Amino acid sequence: MLDKKRKVAATTPGDVGSIASRLLHERGIIVRNVDDALSICPPLIVNKDQIDELIDGITGMLHDLKATVVNCREPH
């Protein structure tokens, strides 16, 4: 959803998921998108620092994604 208030959806399912996936890959976090959902598969054995790194990466991605998606809106 590009704009919840005006109920403007992304043009094609998977557009936002692809952007999110790319942003996470740029941060070294391996994910795959299935349409607009992300699949994160961390190793079976992780420590707190690795989980913190994952959460920081996701937080940064969401911040960047918001700015990116806002710029993708079609003018009305």
Side-chain angles (χ1 to χ4, degrees), residues 12-68:
T12 305
D15 286 350
V16 175
S18 294
I19 296 167
S21 178
R22 180 183 50 80
L23 292 170
L24 285 169
H25 280 252
E26 290 172 1
R27 289 173 167 74
I29 299 171
I30 299 170
V31 299
R32 64 183 173 86
N33 66 299
V34 179
D35 288 332
D36 290 320
L38 296 175
S39 178
I40 301 169
C41 302
L44 294 175
I45 300 172
V46 294
N47 60 40
K48 183 184 180 317
D49 291 338
Q50 292 168 322
I51 295 296
D52 289 343
E53 184 179 335
L54 175 64
I55 297 302
D56 290 344
I58 292 171
T59 302
M61 176 274 298
L62 290 171
H63 182 267
D64 292 349
L65 182 66
K66 180 178 178 182
T68 302

